[in-house]
Amino acid sequence: MKRLSLPLMMFAALTAALSLGAAPAPMVVRTNRADRLEWFRDQGFGLFIHWNLDCQLGSVISHSMVGATEDYMRRYVEELPKTFNPRKFHPEDWAVLAKLAGVRYVVFTAKHHSGFCMWPTKTTDFSIKHTPYRRDITGELLRAFKRHGIAPGLYFSPDDFWWLYKNQKTLQRNIPDVQPENNPGLMAHDLAQVRELLTRYGPIDVLFFDGQGQGLRDLAWRLQPDTVVTRSAISTPEQFVPGQANDQAWEACITMGKAWGYQPTLEDYKDGGQLISLLIETRAKGGNLLLNVGPKPDGELPIEQEERLRELALWMFVNGEAIHDARPWVVTNEKDIWYTKRKDADTVYAFVKEKERWKVGEWKELVLQSVKATDQTKVNVLGQNDKVLEYKATVRPKTTWKQEPDGLHIRAMRAQRLDDLRQWPNPVVLKITHALPAQPAPRVQIVSVKWDGQARLVRCVGVLEALGGAGAVEVGFQYRDITGLDTHERRDNWQTLPLSSRSTPGEFSFAAPGLQPGRAYEFRSLARNSLLNVFGGEIVLKIQ
C-alpha cells in the first residue's frame, strides 16, 4: 500500500491543528499495541451500524453519488438533509438488544463516503446539525452503548464525495486522483474531523478507516494510543470468512442481508442459523465477526434485523462463553463439528452444526478425532445441568465420554427446551475441560502463482510443511474470480483444482489452464486428510 509522504503528513497535521486553534504536535508513526490487539481478539463479536441520510431513498449507501448528474448531486447535498428526521431513534434500545445478543463492541458510521457527518462537526455544514433532527446521533449512540458495557467504535471514510463535489473533482473511489494523500485540502479536512471525533467523545476503542488510512491512523494513535485501528491496519475481509485459521487479529465484516445501509429493494436476509454459523466459523478461525445492521430513516431497526439479533441473543445467552475470550483449536472443524479453545486454558468447545436438527430428548453419540481426554476431563452440554429432561422424571440426561483409539466418544442428550414447539434449530455446544490435541493438523502454504502467457496457463507452487500425524495427505490449490470486486469483497465460491497425494513434506505444483486474460483471480493452497481441509495463504493474480 502506498504510504503518505512525510512532508505531506506534516503539512496535513499542521493544517488540521491550526484549523481548530490547537498548537501543532509532532506526527509520530505508530501501530496497534500488542496488548490491545489481544483485547480485541477476546471480544469476538461486534455490531456494525451503517446509517446515512440517503437511507431515506433506500439506495446503496453513498455510492449512488458516483457517476451522478449535477442535478442529482445538488439535490443530494442540498435537499436530502432537509428531510432527514429519525424521530424514533432510541439508542438505548439498540444497546440493550446488542448486549443481549452478546455484542462486545460497536462500530458506527460517523462519516461514510458521502461526506455527511453524523455528528455536529465544525468542518462542514453537511452534517446532522443542519437537519430537522439536529441532535448529536453519534454522541447519543456511543454513550448508550458505553452504559451497557459495549466498547465504542467508529467508522470513518477518508474518501469524501461532498469535498470532491465542492472542489469540482470527479467522484470516484480507489484511484490516486481522489485520495487524501494526493489532495492536501482533503487530507486536512479528514484530519480535522478525526481530531474532533477523538477529542469530543472520550476513549474510542475501535476505529475503522474505510480507505487509505495513512496519516489518519497515525493521528489517531497519537491522540489515543489504546485505540485499535482495524481496516487499514489489520485484515478485514468483507462479506466472506477466510479459509484458514489465523493467529493474528482479523475481522470479518458481514451484512445480515445483501446491503450495508437500509435498502428494502431486492433485500434478501440470511436466517438466524446462517448468522450463528458465520459467528462460529469466524471464531473457529481466530477472527471477530462484525455483523452489520442498517437502520431505517425514522431511526428504528428493520424488524427482520431485530428478529435475527434476538435469535442470536438466545443462542449467545446459552453459549456465549464458547465465543468470547476464545482462540482457534488445533483444527477448525471435523466436518459439521466446529471448535474453539478457551484462551489460556485447556478447555475446548465443540459446536455441533449438523444439518439435521438435534431434537430435545434425543441422545447423540459423537466421535471427536482431534480431541483427547485426560483423567481430569469433564464434558457437558452448555446451558443445561444434565440432570433433568422436562416432563420425563425417569430420564437422566447425563453426558458420558470415553477415550478410544479412534477418538473421544461422547454420548449426550439435548435436554434444555428453548422454544414452545421443541424445534429450536441452532447448534448445540459441548464443553470439554482439560483436553489435549489428539494429533497436530497438516500445515500448508502457497508460494507463488504466475501466468505463463506462452502456454496460456497459471503455474501454482505450494509447500506441504507437515503432514500432521497422517500417513499421507492430498494437496493442491483452489481459486475464485474476484474481477471488479473491492479490495475486501468476495462473492464467488472457491473452485478446487485436481489434487495429488503426498506422503512426505515438500514442494508441489499444478498448471491450471482455462483461466481468462483480463480477469483477476485469488488462489490458495489446500491440504486434505480424512479429518479436515487446511488452507495456506492467498495470492491475487491479474492475468494480463
Side-chain angles (χ1 to χ4, degrees):
M1 184 178 292
K2 187 177 179 182
R3 294 194 61 81
L4 186 66
S5 66
L6 184 59
L8 184 53
M9 287 170 61
M10 295 175 66
F11 168 81
L14 177 62
T15 304
L18 293 176
S19 69
L20 295 177
M27 179 64 71
V28 179
V29 178
R30 300 177 185 271
T31 188
N32 282 315
R33 285 175 37 185
D35 63 321
R36 293 297 291 163
L37 286 176
E38 280 299 295
W39 167 87
F40 180 72
R41 296 184 73 195
D42 290 344
Q43 308 315 299
F45 188 23
L47 185 68
F48 216 175
I49 304 176
H50 271 69
W51 205 14
N52 190 35
L53 82 169
D54 55 12
C55 66
Q56 299 174 91
L57 305 175
S59 71
V60 57
I61 186 169
S62 298
H63 294 278
S64 70
M65 300 172 77
V66 178
T69 63
E70 171 64 27
D71 177 62
Y72 184 98
M73 288 298 300
R74 180 191 60 77
R75 288 184 289 123
Y76 189 109
V77 170
E78 296 178 7
E79 300 299 325
L80 272 183
K82 296 177 182 178
T83 52
F84 187 45
N85 187 19
R87 63 193 183 281
K88 295 182 182 179
F89 172 54
H90 298 295
E92 192 80 12
D93 295 343
W94 296 6
V96 169
L97 178 56
K99 185 174 181 65
L100 286 170
V103 167
R104 288 281 188 86
Y105 64 102
V106 65
V107 177
F108 177 65
T109 48
K111 184 186 81 169
H112 203 262
H113 307 318
S114 69
F116 183 79
C117 296
M118 298 289 274
W119 80 98
T121 177
K122 297 178 180 178
T123 63
T124 174
D125 291 340
F126 195 46
S127 77
I128 192 65
K129 184 178 180 180
H130 299 273
T131 69
Y133 190 72
R134 294 186 62 83
R135 286 158 46 190
D136 183 358
I137 282 178
T138 298
E140 291 184 20
L141 183 142
L142 294 179
R143 286 190 291 272
F145 277 76
K146 284 180 182 180
R147 280 195 296 271
H148 291 277
I150 297 173
L154 293 173
Y155 166 111
F156 183 89
S157 172
D159 297 336
D160 191 308
F161 296 159
W162 173 87
W163 189 93
L164 295 173
Y165 171 65
K166 290 295 184 180
N167 286 273
Q168 300 181 336
K169 293 181 178 290
T170 302
L171 273 63
Q172 186 55 282
R173 288 207 73 212
N174 295 335
I175 64 171
D177 288 349
V178 300
Q179 298 302 323
E181 64 178 339
N182 296 316
N183 291 278
L186 176 55
M187 176 61 81
H189 181 71
D190 282 343
L191 283 165
Q193 292 181 338
V194 170
R195 180 182 291 277
E196 270 191 350
L197 290 168
L198 294 181
T199 56
R200 182 184 184 104
Y201 298 115
I204 299 297
D205 287 305
V206 178
L207 274 175
F208 188 108
F209 290 118
D210 194 6
Q212 293 189 5
Q214 298 97 317
L216 302 179
R217 62 187 180 218
D218 302 308
L219 173 62
W221 283 321
R222 182 162 61 81
L223 293 173
Q224 295 197 24
D226 286 346
T227 293
V228 174
V229 176
T230 54
R231 179 161 293 179
S232 88
I234 67 173
S235 175
T236 56
E238 190 169 298
Q239 301 289 40
F240 75 101
V241 178
Q244 70 277 358
N246 191 335
D247 201 34
Q248 304 295 318
W250 64 274
E251 179 181 62
C253 314
I254 296 181
T255 55
M256 284 193 176
K258 294 180 178 178
W260 293 99
Y262 175 65
Q263 192 174 317
T265 308
L266 302 178
E267 185 59 290
D268 182 18
Y269 286 102
K270 305 170 184 68
D271 62 40
Q274 290 174 299
L275 297 177
I276 291 169
S277 290
L278 283 168
L279 177 59
I280 292 169
E281 183 178 348
T282 303
R283 294 304 282 155
K285 294 176 179 178
N288 289 12
L289 177 63
L290 185 59
L291 181 64
N292 183 75
V293 295
K296 296 192 300 181
D298 62 6
E300 289 187 328
L301 292 181
I303 186 60
E304 297 88 349
Q305 298 179 18
E306 179 182 339
E307 288 172 343
R308 281 152 181 79
L309 283 174
R310 295 207 183 277
E311 186 170 345
L312 274 159
L314 176 53
W315 189 84
M316 286 290 285
F317 202 77
V318 175
N319 302 299
E321 73 169 80
I323 295 296
H324 300 134
D325 303 299
R327 295 292 185 270
W329 178 233
V330 292
V331 299
T332 58
N333 64 297
E334 299 178 31
K335 296 182 179 178
D336 292 327
I337 299 177
W338 289 73
Y339 294 100
T340 61
K341 175 187 177 295
R342 191 74 178 169
K343 178 187 176 184
D344 300 327
D346 54 3
T347 297
V348 174
Y349 300 94
F351 302 80
V352 183
K353 288 202 323 178
E354 294 175 328
K355 294 179 178 63
E356 292 187 8
R357 177 175 53 85
W358 189 343
K359 300 175 183 177
V360 174
E362 178 183 9
W363 287 103
K364 274 193 180 291
E365 296 191 5
L366 307 169
V367 180
L368 308 183
Q369 295 177 279
S370 68
V371 184
K372 183 178 180 180
T374 65
D375 292 341
Q376 292 80 39
T377 292
K378 293 182 180 180
V379 183
N380 68 283
V381 178
L382 280 186
Q384 66 186 45
N385 60 21
D386 276 11
K387 296 178 180 179
V388 176
L389 178 64
E390 190 177 27
Y391 303 124
K392 302 287 185 180
T394 61
V395 175
R396 293 292 180 268
K398 182 174 177 55
T399 304
T400 59
W401 62 95
K402 186 177 182 181
Q403 186 68 50
E404 299 285 359
D406 63 336
L408 178 60
H409 288 241
I410 299 174
R411 185 173 187 264
M413 177 186 287
R414 182 174 192 165
Q416 185 180 23
R417 184 158 67 106
L418 297 176
D419 69 313
D420 287 272
L421 300 178
R422 297 180 173 84
Q423 294 181 359
W424 178 250
N426 292 315
V428 173
V429 183
L430 300 170
K431 179 179 181 179
I432 308 162
T433 67
H434 302 290
L436 298 174
Q439 66 177 31
R443 296 199 314 274
V444 66
Q445 289 295 333
I446 191 165
V447 175
S448 65
V449 177
K450 296 180 180 179
W451 169 246
D452 186 333
Q454 185 174 0
R456 309 290 292 177
L457 49 79
V458 174
R459 300 190 183 278
C460 307
V461 178
V463 59
L464 177 64
E465 297 178 340
L467 277 75
V473 298
E474 291 184 303
V475 296
F477 303 91
Q478 294 181 326
Y479 73 94
R480 58 185 172 189
D481 193 331
I482 61 170
T483 307
L485 299 183
D486 184 56
T487 305
H488 308 281
E489 183 182 11
R490 298 294 182 267
R491 295 177 186 168
D492 291 347
N493 294 325
W494 290 98
Q495 305 296 314
T496 303
L497 297 167
L499 305 178
S500 60
S501 180
R502 293 293 301 264
S503 57
T504 58
E507 193 171 275
F508 58 93
S509 62
F510 185 79
L515 301 181
Q516 302 177 28
R519 302 196 69 80
Y521 297 92
E522 185 173 42
F523 294 81
R524 69 182 181 187
S525 54
L526 162 69
R528 172 184 295 169
N529 61 22
S530 59
L531 185 60
L532 77 159
N533 297 330
V534 174
F535 307 98
E538 290 102 16
I539 293 178
V540 172
L541 174 69
K542 184 172 183 179
I543 301 177
Q544 303 297 334

